[in-house]
Amino acid sequence: MAVNDKQRRYLKGLAHPLKPVVMIGNAGLTENVLAEIENALAFHELIKVRVSGQERADRKQMLDEIAEKTKADLVMVIGHIGGFYRPAEKPRIELPR
């Protein structure tokens, strides 16, 4: 599900006070990290992920890869942190139209 600009702004506002729930270190994007991101998305719907020790282009590529593999929307990128949204089976976050 692709979110529109209005929904992206709303989600970005909701994500702002959140702390990163998954941290990616020098080992990069492993299967265990992806599994943890999947669990966090299933439980929280909206999460932040911190990517450390990478160049800017590598971080962006890694965040795009996470979005693709988890079928989540990348709603924000600020420095080393990316915010992801994927609605749950019973969504708790109601998006504006």
Side-chain angles (χ1 to χ4, degrees), residues 8 11 15 17-18 20 34-35 49 60 63 68 71 79 86 89:
R8 187 176 309 277
L11 290 168
L18 299 177
L34 273 175
V49 176
K60 179 65 174 141
L63 292 172
E68 180 183 322
K71 295 178 178 56
R86 185 178 69 192
E89 290 179 17

Side-chain angles (χ1 to χ4, degrees), residues 3-68:
V3 295
N4 62 32
D5 287 339
K6 185 175 183 181
Q7 293 168 336
R8 187 176 309 277
R9 284 192 308 271
Y10 176 73
L11 290 168
K12 192 174 181 180
L14 290 178
H16 185 72
L18 299 177
K19 302 279 188 225
V21 294
V22 178
M23 313 241 183
I24 301 174
N26 292 334
L29 190 60
T30 63
E31 291 300 319
N32 291 335
V33 172
L34 273 175
E36 193 60 36
I37 292 171
E38 285 282 347
N39 289 339
L41 280 169
F43 187 74
H44 297 288
E45 289 184 280
L46 181 65
I47 65 167
K48 279 183 171 178
V49 176
R50 176 183 292 278
V51 180
S52 300
Q54 301 287 329
E55 293 295 321
R56 186 178 196 168
D58 295 336
R59 281 195 310 263
K60 179 65 174 141
Q61 180 184 5
M62 191 177 294
L63 292 172
D64 289 339
E65 185 178 348
I66 291 169
E68 180 183 322

Side-chain angles (χ1 to χ4, degrees), residues 53-97:
Q54 301 287 329
E55 293 295 321
R56 186 178 196 168
D58 295 336
R59 281 195 310 263
K60 179 65 174 141
Q61 180 184 5
M62 191 177 294
L63 292 172
D64 289 339
E65 185 178 348
I66 291 169
E68 180 183 322
K69 288 186 176 182
T70 60
K71 295 178 178 56
D73 290 307
L74 181 61
V75 294
M76 63 173 274
V77 177
I78 300 175
H80 291 265
I81 297 177
F84 295 92
Y85 171 74
R86 185 178 69 192
E89 290 179 17
K90 294 181 182 178
R92 289 180 284 174
I93 298 174
E94 189 171 326
L95 296 176
R97 296 254 171 222

